[in-house]
Amino acid sequence: MKAKKLDVSKIDIGISEKDRAAIAAGLSKLLADSFTLYLMTHNFHWNVTGPMFNTLHTMFMDQYTEQWNALDIIAERIRALGVVAPGSYEEYEKLTTIPAVKSRPKALEMVALLVSAQEATARTAREMLPLADKANDQPTMDLLTQRLDVHEKTAWMLRSLLEE
């Protein structure tokens, strides 16, 4: 008897195509926010000046490095769900919730902008949790929980620099 050929072109991971598409759409927004936050943080790392230069320069480097590594994790989850991950400035600009910084802010303004961007990214991740939970998508829930922890903790640390 001839063995039946497997159809590997269809994704059958226990999450419906509709739910996979919706989750991937939300993760695409998270990817756009994460990339925008990465770029903002790296820009501030390059351009920070003033008495807090060394502290902020180093802190921003740690943050953009963490953010850079997260981009791959988010994009690969989108791909695992069977959807093409967005990857252009144009796509990110349409999807992000973080406004572009069009000026050269002073050091503490940079910190305040990063607090806002970290919190926006956390909100985007949090909005996805009910959908991932409903679809029984534990890998996405785990990714979202990890991202929430990073963004909330980073926002707290940055905000602490702004207190008198």
Side-chain angles (χ1 to χ4, degrees):
M1 182 165 197
K2 197 172 187 181
K4 185 177 178 183
K5 186 175 179 183
L6 291 174
D7 181 4
V8 293
S9 65
K10 290 190 178 195
I11 297 174
D12 185 13
I13 59 173
I15 302 172
S16 73
E17 185 175 349
K18 178 182 173 190
D19 284 345
R20 285 188 291 108
I23 292 166
L27 288 173
S28 293
K29 290 178 184 177
L30 180 61
L31 183 61
D33 278 357
S34 297
F35 187 84
T36 303
L37 175 59
Y38 157 77
L39 194 59
M40 179 189 296
T41 308
H42 211 148
N43 172 29
F44 291 171
H45 165 79
W46 291 326
N47 293 300
V48 68
T49 59
M52 294 180 64
F53 169 80
N54 196 47
T55 299
L56 292 178
H57 185 74
T58 301
M59 178 185 275
F60 294 165
M61 182 173 67
D62 291 343
Q63 291 172 7
Y64 79 69
T65 300
E66 191 286 329
Q67 202 59 41
W68 177 256
N69 292 323
L71 296 173
D72 203 49
I73 294 166
I74 298 165
E76 287 181 355
R77 183 64 193 150
I78 294 167
R79 293 298 297 136
L81 292 168
V83 178
V84 174
S88 70
Y89 293 123
E90 183 179 66
E91 289 172 295
Y92 293 150
E93 189 175 44
K94 290 177 185 174
L95 292 168
T96 190
T97 64
I98 301 170
V101 177
K102 300 191 187 282
S103 63
R104 291 281 179 225
K106 301 282 185 202
L108 290 180
E109 291 173 87
M110 289 176 176
V111 172
L113 287 164
L114 287 172
V115 168
S116 180
Q118 290 283 349
E119 290 178 343
T121 307
R123 286 190 305 272
T124 299
R126 181 167 275 108
E127 287 172 7
M128 287 293 307
L129 280 170
L131 178 59
D133 187 31
K134 181 178 169 255
N136 201 24
D137 182 358
Q138 289 85 5
T140 297
M141 290 177 62
D142 184 51
L143 181 155
L144 294 170
T145 302
Q146 289 178 39
R147 298 313 310 148
L148 280 166
D149 183 52
V150 168
H151 295 298
E152 290 176 0
K153 191 178 291 181
T154 304
W156 156 63
M157 290 180 177
L158 288 165
R159 187 180 290 104
S160 295
L161 292 170
L162 300 173
E163 292 178 5
E164 298 287 325

